[in-house]
Amino acid sequence: MSIIVGFLPSITARKPVKAREKLIDAIEAYYRAGGVQDASSLARNRYQIGVDHGISVHDVARYEVGGSLAILLNTAPATFWTLLLLHSHSGLVRDIRKEIDACTETTLAENGSPLKTININSLKESCPLLLSSYQEVIRYRTMGTSVRMVMEDTYLDQWLLKKGAMLQIPSRVIHQDTDLWGATAAEFNPRRFLPEEKPNRPRDICFRGFGGGKTLCPGRHFATNEVLAVVAAFIARFDMKPAEGDGWEIPTAENTNLAAVVMEPDRDILVEIETRQGFENVEWAINLDRSGMTFAMVTEDIGETE
Ligand code: HEM
Protein backbone atom coordinates (compact mmCIF):
# COMPACT_ATOMS: atom_id res chain seq x y z
CA MET A 1 0.00 0.00 0.00
CA SER A 2 2.74 2.47 0.97
CA ILE A 3 4.60 1.77 -2.29
CA ILE A 4 1.45 2.24 -4.35
CA VAL A 5 0.66 5.57 -2.67
CA GLY A 6 4.06 6.56 -4.04
CA PHE A 7 4.88 9.54 -1.79
CA LEU A 8 8.70 9.47 -1.48
CA PRO A 9 8.65 5.66 -1.17
CA SER A 10 12.39 5.43 -0.45
CA ILE A 11 11.64 7.25 2.85
CA THR A 12 7.99 6.44 3.64
CA ALA A 13 8.08 2.83 2.43
CA ARG A 14 11.66 1.94 3.33
CA LYS A 15 10.94 -1.64 4.42
CA PRO A 16 8.77 -2.75 1.47
CA VAL A 17 11.13 -1.05 -1.02
CA LYS A 18 14.02 -3.00 0.54
CA ALA A 19 11.98 -6.21 0.36
CA ARG A 20 11.22 -5.56 -3.30
CA GLU A 21 14.94 -5.07 -4.08
CA LYS A 22 15.71 -8.32 -2.25
CA LEU A 23 13.14 -10.12 -4.40
CA ILE A 24 14.58 -8.64 -7.61
CA ASP A 25 18.09 -9.75 -6.59
CA ALA A 26 16.84 -13.26 -5.82
CA ILE A 27 15.08 -13.58 -9.20
CA GLU A 28 18.18 -12.23 -10.97
CA ALA A 29 20.39 -14.78 -9.17
CA TYR A 30 17.96 -17.51 -10.22
CA TYR A 31 18.18 -16.43 -13.88
CA ARG A 32 21.98 -16.18 -13.78
CA ALA A 33 22.22 -19.69 -12.28
CA GLY A 34 20.19 -20.99 -15.26
CA GLY A 35 17.21 -21.95 -13.07
CA VAL A 36 14.67 -20.74 -15.60
CA GLN A 37 15.82 -23.35 -18.13
CA ASP A 38 14.06 -25.99 -16.01
CA ALA A 39 10.97 -23.84 -15.44
CA SER A 40 7.60 -23.87 -17.23
CA SER A 41 7.44 -22.69 -20.83
CA LEU A 42 5.55 -19.63 -19.55
CA ALA A 43 8.46 -18.63 -17.29
CA ARG A 44 11.06 -19.46 -19.99
CA ASN A 45 9.25 -17.44 -22.65
CA ARG A 46 8.72 -14.45 -20.37
CA TYR A 47 12.45 -14.42 -19.67
CA GLN A 48 13.48 -14.98 -23.31
CA ILE A 49 11.24 -12.24 -24.73
CA GLY A 50 12.91 -9.69 -22.46
CA VAL A 51 16.43 -10.85 -23.30
CA ASP A 52 15.67 -11.00 -27.06
CA HIS A 53 14.57 -7.36 -26.89
CA GLY A 54 17.81 -6.23 -25.32
CA ILE A 55 16.52 -5.88 -21.77
CA SER A 56 19.15 -6.56 -19.11
CA VAL A 57 18.77 -9.62 -16.90
CA HIS A 58 18.43 -7.29 -13.92
CA ASP A 59 15.51 -5.45 -15.54
CA VAL A 60 13.82 -8.71 -16.62
CA ALA A 61 13.97 -9.69 -12.94
CA ARG A 62 12.50 -6.31 -12.03
CA TYR A 63 9.60 -6.78 -14.49
CA GLU A 64 9.03 -10.23 -13.13
CA VAL A 65 8.16 -8.85 -9.70
CA GLY A 66 5.25 -6.95 -11.32
CA GLY A 67 4.46 -9.94 -13.55
CA SER A 68 4.29 -12.23 -10.54
CA LEU A 69 1.65 -9.96 -9.03
CA ALA A 70 -0.52 -10.34 -12.14
CA ILE A 71 0.09 -14.08 -12.48
CA LEU A 72 -0.13 -15.24 -8.86
CA LEU A 73 -1.94 -12.67 -6.77
CA ASN A 74 -5.43 -13.32 -8.15
CA THR A 75 -5.29 -16.88 -9.42
CA ALA A 76 -4.39 -18.46 -6.07
CA PRO A 77 -7.25 -16.82 -4.10
CA ALA A 78 -9.65 -17.47 -7.02
CA THR A 79 -8.84 -21.19 -6.67
CA PHE A 80 -9.22 -20.97 -2.89
CA TRP A 81 -12.67 -19.33 -3.07
CA THR A 82 -13.86 -21.67 -5.82
CA LEU A 83 -13.00 -24.74 -3.75
CA LEU A 84 -14.41 -23.26 -0.54
CA LEU A 85 -17.65 -21.85 -1.96
CA LEU A 86 -18.37 -24.97 -4.01
CA HIS A 87 -17.90 -27.19 -0.95
CA SER A 88 -19.88 -24.94 1.39
CA HIS A 89 -22.92 -24.81 -0.90
CA SER A 90 -25.10 -27.81 -0.14
CA GLY A 91 -25.14 -30.50 -2.85
CA LEU A 92 -23.08 -28.45 -5.30
CA VAL A 93 -19.91 -30.55 -5.26
CA ARG A 94 -22.05 -33.66 -5.82
CA ASP A 95 -23.65 -32.13 -8.95
CA ILE A 96 -20.37 -30.74 -10.31
CA ARG A 97 -18.63 -34.06 -9.69
CA LYS A 98 -21.24 -35.76 -11.88
CA GLU A 99 -20.43 -33.32 -14.69
CA ILE A 100 -16.68 -33.89 -14.34
CA ASP A 101 -17.01 -37.69 -14.07
CA ALA A 102 -19.15 -37.76 -17.21
CA CYS A 103 -16.42 -36.12 -19.30
CA THR A 104 -13.40 -37.88 -17.73
CA GLU A 105 -11.78 -40.56 -19.91
CA THR A 106 -10.79 -43.85 -18.32
CA THR A 107 -8.01 -45.99 -19.83
CA LEU A 108 -5.30 -48.25 -18.39
CA ALA A 109 -2.04 -46.83 -17.00
CA GLU A 110 1.28 -48.60 -17.70
CA ASN A 111 1.16 -50.21 -14.23
CA GLY A 112 -2.30 -51.65 -14.98
CA SER A 113 -4.21 -49.20 -12.72
CA PRO A 114 -7.12 -47.24 -14.15
CA LEU A 115 -5.91 -43.95 -15.64
CA LYS A 116 -8.40 -41.09 -15.52
CA THR A 117 -7.74 -38.14 -17.81
CA ILE A 118 -9.41 -34.78 -17.34
CA ASN A 119 -9.37 -32.73 -20.51
CA ILE A 120 -9.55 -28.96 -20.13
CA ASN A 121 -11.61 -28.58 -23.32
CA SER A 122 -14.16 -31.17 -22.17
CA LEU A 123 -14.59 -29.21 -18.94
CA LYS A 124 -15.36 -26.08 -20.95
CA GLU A 125 -17.73 -27.93 -23.30
CA SER A 126 -19.57 -30.23 -20.90
CA CYS A 127 -19.59 -28.76 -17.39
CA PRO A 128 -22.01 -25.80 -17.40
CA LEU A 129 -22.53 -25.84 -13.64
CA LEU A 130 -18.77 -25.82 -12.98
CA LEU A 131 -18.33 -22.88 -15.39
CA SER A 132 -21.28 -20.97 -13.98
CA SER A 133 -20.04 -21.50 -10.41
CA TYR A 134 -16.53 -20.33 -11.32
CA GLN A 135 -17.83 -17.18 -13.01
CA GLU A 136 -20.05 -16.51 -10.00
CA VAL A 137 -17.04 -16.87 -7.67
CA ILE A 138 -15.27 -14.21 -9.73
CA ARG A 139 -18.35 -11.93 -9.61
CA TYR A 140 -18.87 -12.52 -5.89
CA ARG A 141 -15.25 -12.30 -4.70
CA THR A 142 -13.59 -9.64 -6.87
CA MET A 143 -13.07 -6.05 -5.83
CA GLY A 144 -10.79 -4.64 -8.54
CA THR A 145 -11.12 -1.00 -9.52
CA SER A 146 -10.39 -0.05 -13.13
CA VAL A 147 -8.79 3.39 -13.26
CA ARG A 148 -8.99 5.60 -16.37
CA MET A 149 -8.02 9.14 -17.35
CA VAL A 150 -10.82 11.16 -18.94
CA MET A 151 -9.37 12.31 -22.30
CA GLU A 152 -12.24 14.60 -23.37
CA ASP A 153 -15.21 16.18 -21.58
CA THR A 154 -17.74 13.34 -21.75
CA TYR A 155 -21.38 13.13 -20.70
CA LEU A 156 -22.72 9.90 -19.20
CA ASP A 157 -26.42 10.76 -19.17
CA GLN A 158 -26.51 13.99 -17.12
CA TRP A 159 -23.09 13.39 -15.54
CA LEU A 160 -20.14 15.30 -16.93
CA LEU A 161 -16.75 13.59 -16.71
CA LYS A 162 -14.21 16.42 -17.01
CA LYS A 163 -11.18 16.09 -19.27
CA GLY A 164 -8.07 15.30 -17.21
CA ALA A 165 -10.01 13.80 -14.29
CA MET A 166 -9.26 10.35 -12.98
CA LEU A 167 -12.17 7.93 -13.21
CA GLN A 168 -12.42 4.95 -10.87
CA ILE A 169 -14.74 2.06 -11.73
CA PRO A 170 -15.03 -0.27 -8.71
CA SER A 171 -16.22 -3.69 -9.87
CA ARG A 172 -17.56 -4.63 -6.44
CA VAL A 173 -20.06 -1.77 -6.46
CA ILE A 174 -21.32 -2.91 -9.88
CA HIS A 175 -21.38 -6.59 -8.85
CA GLN A 176 -23.39 -5.84 -5.69
CA ASP A 177 -25.91 -3.56 -7.38
CA THR A 178 -29.39 -5.02 -6.86
CA ASP A 179 -30.78 -2.90 -9.73
CA LEU A 180 -28.51 -4.92 -12.02
CA TRP A 181 -28.23 -8.36 -10.43
CA GLY A 182 -31.54 -8.53 -8.58
CA ALA A 183 -32.35 -9.03 -4.92
CA THR A 184 -29.78 -11.84 -4.58
CA ALA A 185 -26.83 -9.68 -5.73
CA ALA A 186 -25.07 -10.05 -2.38
CA GLU A 187 -25.42 -13.85 -2.36
CA PHE A 188 -23.34 -16.58 -3.96
CA ASN A 189 -25.63 -18.22 -6.53
CA PRO A 190 -23.70 -20.89 -8.47
CA ARG A 191 -26.48 -21.16 -11.06
CA ARG A 192 -26.53 -17.44 -11.91
CA PHE A 193 -24.40 -17.81 -15.06
CA LEU A 194 -26.08 -20.93 -16.50
CA PRO A 195 -27.15 -20.28 -20.11
CA GLU A 196 -30.84 -20.63 -19.18
CA GLU A 197 -30.45 -17.89 -16.55
CA LYS A 198 -29.46 -15.27 -19.14
CA PRO A 199 -32.88 -13.53 -19.07
CA ASN A 200 -32.39 -13.03 -15.29
CA ARG A 201 -28.96 -11.43 -15.64
CA PRO A 202 -28.03 -7.88 -16.61
CA ARG A 203 -26.07 -7.20 -19.82
CA ASP A 204 -22.79 -9.12 -20.06
CA ILE A 205 -20.85 -5.88 -19.66
CA CYS A 206 -21.98 -5.71 -16.01
CA PHE A 207 -19.58 -8.57 -15.23
CA ARG A 208 -16.32 -6.70 -14.49
CA GLY A 209 -14.24 -9.43 -12.82
CA PHE A 210 -11.51 -9.12 -15.45
CA GLY A 211 -11.98 -5.41 -16.05
CA GLY A 212 -12.67 -4.29 -19.59
CA GLY A 213 -11.66 -2.17 -22.58
CA LYS A 214 -8.02 -1.49 -23.47
CA THR A 215 -6.62 -2.91 -20.23
CA LEU A 216 -8.94 -5.91 -20.03
CA CYS A 217 -7.04 -8.68 -18.25
CA PRO A 218 -4.96 -10.47 -20.92
CA GLY A 219 -4.41 -13.40 -18.52
CA ARG A 220 -8.10 -14.25 -18.09
CA HIS A 221 -8.09 -17.42 -20.21
CA PHE A 222 -4.79 -18.56 -18.75
CA ALA A 223 -6.13 -18.04 -15.21
CA THR A 224 -9.39 -19.78 -16.08
CA ASN A 225 -7.52 -22.84 -17.39
CA GLU A 226 -5.44 -22.99 -14.22
CA VAL A 227 -8.36 -22.64 -11.83
CA LEU A 228 -10.64 -25.06 -13.70
CA ALA A 229 -7.92 -27.71 -14.01
CA VAL A 230 -7.00 -27.57 -10.31
CA VAL A 231 -10.59 -27.40 -9.07
CA ALA A 232 -11.87 -30.18 -11.38
CA ALA A 233 -8.99 -32.51 -10.49
CA PHE A 234 -9.50 -31.78 -6.79
CA ILE A 235 -13.24 -32.44 -6.87
CA ALA A 236 -12.82 -35.61 -8.92
CA ARG A 237 -10.10 -37.02 -6.63
CA PHE A 238 -10.76 -35.89 -3.09
CA ASP A 239 -13.38 -35.50 -0.40
CA MET A 240 -12.91 -32.42 1.76
CA LYS A 241 -14.60 -31.37 4.99
CA PRO A 242 -13.98 -28.76 7.68
CA ALA A 243 -11.46 -29.96 10.28
CA GLU A 244 -13.46 -28.33 13.08
CA GLY A 245 -17.21 -28.11 13.64
CA ASP A 246 -19.95 -29.32 11.34
CA GLY A 247 -20.31 -26.50 8.87
CA TRP A 248 -18.12 -24.33 6.70
CA GLU A 249 -17.40 -20.83 7.93
CA ILE A 250 -16.68 -18.30 5.23
CA PRO A 251 -13.78 -16.07 6.28
CA THR A 252 -13.96 -12.29 6.08
CA ALA A 253 -11.72 -10.50 3.58
CA GLU A 254 -11.21 -7.12 5.20
CA ASN A 255 -7.43 -6.96 4.80
CA THR A 256 -7.17 -7.59 1.08
CA ASN A 257 -4.09 -6.06 -0.54
CA LEU A 258 -4.89 -2.94 -2.54
CA ALA A 259 -3.17 -4.42 -5.61
CA ALA A 260 -5.38 -7.53 -5.56
CA VAL A 261 -8.51 -8.01 -7.64
CA VAL A 262 -9.67 -11.20 -5.96
CA MET A 263 -10.27 -10.78 -2.23
CA GLU A 264 -7.87 -12.44 0.18
CA PRO A 265 -9.26 -14.41 3.14
CA ASP A 266 -8.36 -12.97 6.55
CA ARG A 267 -7.61 -16.39 8.02
CA ASP A 268 -6.78 -19.95 7.09
CA ILE A 269 -9.47 -22.61 6.84
CA LEU A 270 -8.47 -25.95 8.34
CA VAL A 271 -9.72 -28.91 6.34
CA GLU A 272 -9.52 -32.68 6.23
CA ILE A 273 -8.89 -34.13 2.81
CA GLU A 274 -9.22 -37.81 1.90
CA THR A 275 -8.92 -39.69 -1.36
CA ARG A 276 -12.39 -40.24 -2.74
CA GLN A 277 -13.70 -43.69 -1.82
CA GLY A 278 -13.13 -46.29 -4.53
CA PHE A 279 -10.49 -44.11 -6.25
CA GLU A 280 -7.51 -45.17 -4.09
CA ASN A 281 -5.62 -46.93 -6.90
CA VAL A 282 -6.46 -44.54 -9.70
CA GLU A 283 -3.75 -42.67 -11.64
CA TRP A 284 -4.65 -39.18 -12.85
CA ALA A 285 -3.69 -36.98 -15.79
CA ILE A 286 -4.78 -33.51 -16.86
CA ASN A 287 -4.74 -32.89 -20.59
CA LEU A 288 -4.16 -29.24 -21.50
CA ASP A 289 -3.80 -29.86 -25.26
CA ARG A 290 -5.73 -27.33 -27.29
CA SER A 291 -6.23 -25.36 -24.09
CA GLY A 292 -6.57 -22.28 -26.31
CA MET A 293 -10.31 -22.96 -26.59
CA THR A 294 -11.75 -20.13 -24.55
CA PHE A 295 -14.56 -19.91 -22.04
CA ALA A 296 -16.06 -16.56 -22.95
CA MET A 297 -16.99 -14.57 -19.86
CA VAL A 298 -16.49 -10.93 -20.72
CA THR A 299 -18.25 -8.80 -23.33
CA GLU A 300 -15.08 -8.56 -25.41
CA ASP A 301 -15.07 -12.38 -25.79
CA ILE A 302 -18.81 -12.79 -26.20
CA GLY A 303 -19.10 -10.07 -28.81
CA GLU A 304 -22.01 -8.20 -27.23
CA THR A 305 -22.50 -5.05 -29.29
CA GLU A 306 -25.39 -3.13 -27.74
C1 HEM B 1 -8.53 -15.01 -11.51
C2 HEM B 1 -7.42 -14.40 -11.89
C3 HEM B 1 -7.33 -12.99 -12.42
C4 HEM B 1 -8.19 -11.94 -12.26
C5 HEM B 1 -9.53 -11.89 -11.49
C6 HEM B 1 -7.62 -10.81 -12.98
C7 HEM B 1 -8.21 -9.55 -13.07
C8 HEM B 1 -7.64 -8.45 -13.70
C9 HEM B 1 -8.22 -7.13 -13.75
C10 HEM B 1 -9.54 -6.72 -13.12
C11 HEM B 1 -7.37 -6.33 -14.42
C12 HEM B 1 -7.52 -4.83 -14.70
C13 HEM B 1 -8.37 -4.60 -15.94
C14 HEM B 1 -8.76 -3.16 -16.14
O1 HEM B 1 -8.00 -2.25 -15.79
O2 HEM B 1 -9.85 -2.93 -16.63
C15 HEM B 1 -6.23 -7.15 -14.82
C16 HEM B 1 -5.15 -6.69 -15.53
C17 HEM B 1 -4.09 -7.46 -15.90
N1 HEM B 1 -3.95 -8.83 -15.71
FE1 HEM B 1 -5.23 -10.04 -14.73
N2 HEM B 1 -6.43 -11.20 -13.55
C18 HEM B 1 -6.21 -12.52 -13.24
C19 HEM B 1 -5.15 -13.31 -13.64
C20 HEM B 1 -4.12 -12.89 -14.46
C21 HEM B 1 -3.05 -13.74 -14.96
C22 HEM B 1 -2.91 -15.24 -14.69
C23 HEM B 1 -2.24 -12.94 -15.71
C24 HEM B 1 -0.98 -13.29 -16.49
C25 HEM B 1 -0.70 -14.49 -16.97
C26 HEM B 1 -2.79 -11.60 -15.69
C27 HEM B 1 -2.24 -10.50 -16.32
C28 HEM B 1 -2.75 -9.22 -16.26
C29 HEM B 1 -2.06 -8.05 -16.83
C30 HEM B 1 -0.71 -8.03 -17.53
C31 HEM B 1 -2.92 -6.95 -16.62
C32 HEM B 1 -2.69 -5.49 -17.04
C33 HEM B 1 -3.31 -5.24 -18.39
C34 HEM B 1 -3.09 -3.81 -18.92
O3 HEM B 1 -2.93 -2.88 -18.11
O4 HEM B 1 -3.10 -3.64 -20.17
N3 HEM B 1 -3.94 -11.61 -14.93
N4 HEM B 1 -6.43 -8.43 -14.37
Side-chain angles (χ1 to χ4, degrees):
M1 175 74 177
S2 47
I3 292 186
I4 291 175
V5 169
F7 177 70
L8 295 176
S10 59
I11 298 168
T12 57
R14 200 182 292 271
K15 233 174 131 183
V17 165
K18 220 172 137 192
R20 187 172 59 183
E21 295 306 313
K22 192 173 170 185
L23 189 53
I24 294 165
D25 290 346
I27 298 176
E28 183 178 352
Y30 165 77
Y31 285 149
R32 293 205 185 277
V36 78
Q37 303 314 333
D38 297 327
S40 66
S41 53
L42 174 73
R44 279 202 313 275
N45 286 331
R46 289 175 65 83
Y47 170 75
Q48 204 54 48
I49 281 175
V51 170
D52 288 350
H53 285 80
I55 296 169
S56 71
V57 174
H58 181 78
D59 281 347
V60 177
R62 192 170 277 279
Y63 281 141
E64 206 50 24
V65 171
S68 308
L69 279 186
I71 293 176
L72 300 173
L73 192 69
N74 295 311
T75 315
T79 311
F80 168 89
W81 289 116
T82 309
L83 282 173
L84 178 63
L85 291 167
L86 266 50
H87 279 83
S88 60
H89 201 93
S90 176
L92 187 56
V93 164
R94 185 198 56 217
D95 293 347
I96 289 181
R97 204 176 239 181
K98 276 192 204 144
E99 286 186 340
I100 300 168
D101 284 349
C103 67
T104 301
E105 267 176 31
T106 309
T107 50
L108 272 190
E110 275 177 16
N111 65 5
S113 306
L115 170 66
K116 291 197 174 273
T117 304
I118 296 177
N119 185 308
I120 190 79
N121 276 356
S122 309
L123 295 178
K124 290 183 203 161
E125 278 164 358
S126 316
C127 300
L129 187 55
L130 172 66
L131 298 188
S132 170
S133 307
Y134 164 66
Q135 186 165 0
E136 172 70 347
V137 170
I138 300 290
R139 183 198 70 90
Y140 180 67
R141 292 284 89 173
T142 46
M143 44 149 272
T145 296
S146 297
V147 181
R148 304 286 185 267
M149 286 295 288
V150 181
M151 307 306 286
E152 296 295 337
D153 281 4
T154 307
Y155 274 98
L156 286 184
D157 294 335
Q158 78 273 35
W159 306 104
L160 171 62
L161 308 178
K162 292 284 281 179
K163 179 179 174 179
M166 200 209 288
L167 180 66
Q168 302 191 34
I169 314 168
S171 62
R172 184 140 176 87
V173 173
I174 298 171
H175 289 169
Q176 300 279 306
D177 189 337
T178 46
D179 286 346
L180 297 173
W181 297 93
T184 62
E187 289 165 25
F188 172 70
N189 171 6
R191 293 183 159 72
R192 193 185 301 276
F193 288 95
L194 285 173
E196 60 268 30
E197 289 297 321
K198 191 162 172 64
N200 301 322
R201 290 197 300 269
R203 291 173 54 195
D204 293 325
I205 203 152
C206 300
F207 174 76
R208 297 279 311 175
F210 293 99
K214 287 252 188 303
T215 58
L216 169 67
C217 175
R220 63 196 181 283
H221 300 303
F222 187 86
T224 298
N225 281 348
E226 285 184 289
V227 177
L228 290 182
V230 171
V231 167
F234 191 100
I235 289 179
R237 294 179 64 176
F238 302 115
D239 285 319
M240 178 167 82
K241 59 177 188 185
E244 294 154 350
D246 293 333
W248 291 98
E249 274 185 40
I250 306 299
T252 52
E254 306 291 328
N255 297 313
T256 302
N257 186 312
L258 185 70
V261 171
V262 180
M263 297 178 191
E264 293 162 356
D266 288 332
R267 60 179 176 83
D268 291 339
I269 301 282
L270 298 179
V271 297
E272 275 175 23
I273 300 171
E274 293 183 332
T275 301
R276 184 176 167 189
Q277 255 191 356
F279 285 65
E280 290 80 2
N281 298 319
V282 172
E283 302 278 324
W284 291 88
I286 298 179
N287 188 343
L288 295 172
D289 286 358
R290 299 186 298 117
S291 60
M293 184 190 125
T294 56
F295 163 39
M297 275 182 288
V298 297
T299 311
E300 286 83 344
D301 295 328
I302 298 166
E304 183 189 67
T305 49
E306 284 170 22

